């Protein structure tokens, strides 16, 4: 399963990294990853005008985009767009952070899974 990681380097700059979570064939129930311990789960909705300047994540977390895409810009200026159904691993809890804005002018919902 592929996802994108956002992290800070030792200089505080944020970066993207494409990662893959290995899945193992479990027969009739499908392919599963190893267990991942989590602390909390939050549901989130943002306004249609959501456009958040540079910030860092409040904690290490997965973000699952439920309905609506998002554009993220790293502190180095790299921009990527993510669509409904994509998963992000956000780990830039210090440093310069990243910018985030909706791709469309509509409310967007997501799930935060705190690690």
């Amino acid at each position: 399963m592929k996802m994108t990681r956002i992290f800070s380097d030792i200089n505080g700059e944020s970066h993207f990294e494409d990662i893959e979570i290995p899945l193992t064939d479990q027969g009739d129930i499908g392919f599963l990853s190893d267990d991942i311990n989590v602390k909390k789960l939050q549901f989130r909705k943002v306004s249609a005008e959501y456009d958040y300047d540079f910030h860092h994540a409040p904690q290490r977390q997965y973000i699952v985009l439920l309905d609506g895409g998002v554009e993220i810009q790293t502190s180095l200026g790299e921009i990527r767009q993510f669509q409904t159904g994509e998963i992000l691993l956000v780990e830039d809890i210090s440093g310069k952070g990243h910018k985030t804005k909706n791709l469309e002018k509509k409310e967007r919902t997501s799930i935060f899974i705190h690690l």
Side-chain angles (χ1 to χ4, degrees):
M1 178 172 288
K2 294 180 182 187
M3 65 184 68
T4 301
R5 175 180 176 231
I6 303 170
F7 68 98
S8 296
D9 65 21
I10 59 171
N11 298 317
E13 301 290 356
S14 57
H15 300 268
F16 293 117
E17 177 185 23
D18 297 321
I19 61 172
E20 188 156 343
I21 302 296
L23 302 177
T24 304
D25 187 351
Q26 299 295 312
D28 291 342
I29 63 168
F31 291 78
L32 299 175
S33 72
D34 289 341
D35 290 342
I36 299 171
N37 292 324
V38 300
K39 294 178 181 176
K40 294 181 183 180
L41 180 137
Q42 282 183 306
F43 296 95
R44 180 184 192 208
K45 180 173 22 178
V46 297
S47 72
E49 295 77 29
Y50 183 80
D51 187 351
Y52 196 37
D53 204 5
F54 280 103
H55 63 285
H56 47 76
Q59 66 271 322
R60 291 181 61 238
Q61 62 190 9
Y62 288 104
I63 300 175
V64 182
L65 301 174
L66 296 178
D67 65 353
V70 65
E71 179 178 282
I72 299 176
Q73 179 180 337
T74 68
S75 62
L76 295 172
E78 184 179 359
I79 296 172
R80 291 193 187 181
Q81 294 183 346
F82 302 95
Q83 304 295 332
T84 297
E86 291 194 71
I87 303 168
L88 305 169
L89 173 57
V90 184
E91 296 184 312
D92 64 337
I93 57 175
S94 63
K96 298 176 182 176
H98 59 276
K99 286 182 174 182
T100 310
K101 70 178 181 179
N102 287 349
L103 290 179
E104 300 176 72
K105 294 288 185 197
K106 68 176 194 172
E107 285 187 342
R108 178 175 54 82
T109 58
S110 55
I111 297 175
F112 289 176
I113 303 168
H114 303 193
L115 300 172

